[in-house]
Structure formats: structure tokens, C-alpha cells
Amino acid sequence: MTDQAPDINLLSIETLEEAAACLKVMAHPVRLRIVDILMQGDLAVHEIAELCDMKQHQICEHLRLMQNCGLLSSRRVGRTVHYSIESPHLPSLMHCIKANCITRL
Amino acid sequence: MTDQAPDINLLSIETLEEAAACLKVMAHPVRLRIVDILMQGDLAVHEIAELCDMKQHQICEHLRLMQNCGLLSSRRVGRTVHYSIESPHLPSLMHCIKANCITRL
DNA sequence: ACTATATATCGTACTGTTACGATGTTTCGA
DNA sequence: TCGAAACATCGTAACAGTACGATATATAGT
């Protein structure tokens, strides 16, 4: 005989997958740094690349990934493209990550 | 000539990687469900597996992963093993995830 | 028009994650 | 001590994420 599992409120599969997908996007050191940088002001791709000490095309891909999720937005300024925080949730999420994911969660 | 990147406070690589590793662990729908369940009370592996509608050995691996990170702890009770939240940061992180990663971040 | 700068994309190789069946270990009760 | 239940681990196959060089597109200045 198997004991019955207790009654518990479950989040729906869709909700869980949505949250997991969001966390997956944030679960990369370079993308965390990009968000942290953009929270201090909008910047062009080559400036972000310089601050991250990485090739531009790598930064591009991380930016594209985050833009596709609605986390970031971009606007062209002459030859450069400036990225900025788009999601209003992103700063509070970032603060929470700093508060809870660092020095051994 | 390349314009200089502005002066900006950067989180260290170690900090970023630590935070990313923590997020990676949470970035899975089943593991989110397990944490959500355990926040409502400690349970045995087979009960968690039943609630998640998954095989025991899959749940075991997710539990082990989270226990190895210090997120969960376990104690044996007769034939069963009960898992519980170990990290004091986990509940607040979970609340933040629910608040900021759902319905399109 | 031509060139240099800035950004974006593509194909591919590499690496890590996840699922799954099979097998091993621990504990309880007959 | 034997069998069943509960939990854990292993090997492997499938899959996703990442990095990298090469290449493409867009813009400004000459």
C-alpha cells in the first residue's frame, strides 16, 4: 500500500516552466554582468564588450538572447546600438540575486 | 581611436559565477516545484515523486543536486528519507522568483 | 563610391545537462 | 533470513547551451 501524498498547493507546469526559462537566461555570469552594468546606465555594445573584456559578437549574442525575452531593449544611435533595461522586474530580480545567491546560498 | 568605456562598478568574476551557479540550480521546473513543495512542509522522496508525477530516481537526482549545493538537507525516518529546506535564503529567493519571473518578466 | 567602424548572424565543435533503464543499498516486517 | 519497499547510483544516449572564426549588414566620414 502506498501512503497518499498530502494535499498541497502546486504551481502549474506552465508557471514553473516560465519561471525556469527566465532563471535560465539569468544563470550566466556574463549576462549577470551585462544586467548589472546596464542598471548603471545605457551603453553601446562595444562599451559593454570592453567592460566585460569579451569579443563583441559574444556580447551581441547574450544581448540578443536577453532582448528576445523582453529583458532588454535597444535603439540605434548613429553607428552604435545602445542597450537598456526593458523589463521593470529586472532590477528587483537582480537585487534579490545579489542578496540571496552570493556567499553560499 | 576607441572611446573609453565609462567608469562603472563591476561585480567580481567570482561573485558573478557564484550567483550564476546558484541560478542554474534553480532554473529547472521540477526543482522549482520541489522547493515550492518543501516550503509547505518536509516530505519523503516518494511523496515528492508522487506530487511531481515523476519516477523516484529522477527526483532523487534533483534532490541530490540541491542538497550538494546546501539548499536542502535530509534525514532518514525508518525506510523513508525526508527532505527539507536548509538554506535560509531559499524561501526569499523563491518568493522573488514568483514575483518577478512569472507572467513574462 | 569607398573605407573603416560598429553591430549582427551563421556554421560548427565542444561541453554540460537531463532522462532513463538497470542495478545497488538500506530498512522493515513476516 | 527473506522479500518487499524506499532510496540512491551508474552508464549511456539524447539534447541544449556556449564559444569561436568567418562572414554579412548598416552607418558615417572622405
Side-chain angles (χ1 to χ4, degrees):
Chain A
M1 156 166 32
T2 65
D3 13 19
Q4 211 56 23
D7 240 347
I8 280 211
N9 289 331
L10 292 180
L11 295 172
S12 74
I13 297 283
E14 296 75 34
T15 298
L16 292 165
E17 283 178 347
E18 188 184 2
C22 166
L23 291 172
K24 223 169 181 174
V25 172
M26 298 301 292
H28 191 288
V30 172
R31 292 196 287 271
L32 287 174
R33 168 159 284 176
I34 291 173
V35 171
D36 191 48
I37 288 172
L38 291 179
M39 281 174 65
Q40 302 177 52
D42 302 358
L43 288 179
V45 178
H46 74 277
E47 294 173 311
I48 300 170
E50 193 181 335
L51 284 168
C52 293
D53 193 28
M54 294 187 72
K55 303 276 176 61
Q56 271 196 4
H57 74 273
Q58 284 181 56
I59 297 298
C60 266
E61 288 188 23
H62 288 301
L63 289 169
R64 175 175 54 158
L65 178 61
M66 290 192 280
Q67 186 170 26
N68 287 345
C69 297
L71 295 176
L72 304 181
S73 62
S74 64
R75 69 197 157 87
R76 181 170 276 277
V77 180
R79 263 183 296 200
T80 70
V81 175
H82 289 240
Y83 279 80
S84 56
I85 306 278
E86 172 71 16
S87 163
H89 293 286
L90 197 43
S92 43
L93 182 60
M94 192 66 189
H95 284 127
C96 177
I97 289 169
K98 285 188 190 179
N100 292 299
C101 292
I102 292 172
T103 65
R104 254 22 252 150
L105 172 68
Chain B
M1 162 163 30
T2 62
D3 14 18
Q4 213 53 25
D7 240 347
I8 279 208
N9 289 331
L10 291 180
L11 295 171
S12 74
I13 298 282
E14 297 75 35
T15 298
L16 292 164
E17 284 178 347
E18 187 184 2
C22 165
L23 291 172
K24 221 168 183 176
V25 172
M26 298 301 293
H28 191 289
V30 172
R31 291 195 288 268
L32 287 174
R33 167 158 285 176
I34 291 173
V35 171
D36 191 48
I37 287 172
L38 290 180
M39 281 173 65
Q40 302 176 51
D42 302 358
L43 287 179
V45 178
H46 75 276
E47 293 173 311
I48 300 171
E50 192 181 336
L51 284 168
C52 292
D53 193 27
M54 293 188 71
K55 301 275 176 61
Q56 270 196 5
H57 75 273
Q58 282 181 59
I59 297 298
C60 265
E61 289 189 22
H62 289 301
L63 289 170
R64 174 172 56 155
L65 177 61
M66 290 193 279
Q67 186 171 25
N68 287 345
C69 296
L71 294 177
L72 304 182
S73 62
S74 64
R75 69 197 157 88
R76 179 170 277 277
V77 180
R79 263 183 294 202
T80 70
V81 175
H82 289 240
Y83 279 81
S84 56
I85 307 277
E86 171 72 16
S87 163
H89 293 287
L90 197 45
S92 43
L93 182 60
M94 192 66 189
H95 284 126
C96 178
I97 290 168
K98 284 188 190 178
N100 292 300
C101 292
I102 291 171
T103 65
R104 251 26 247 149
L105 173 68

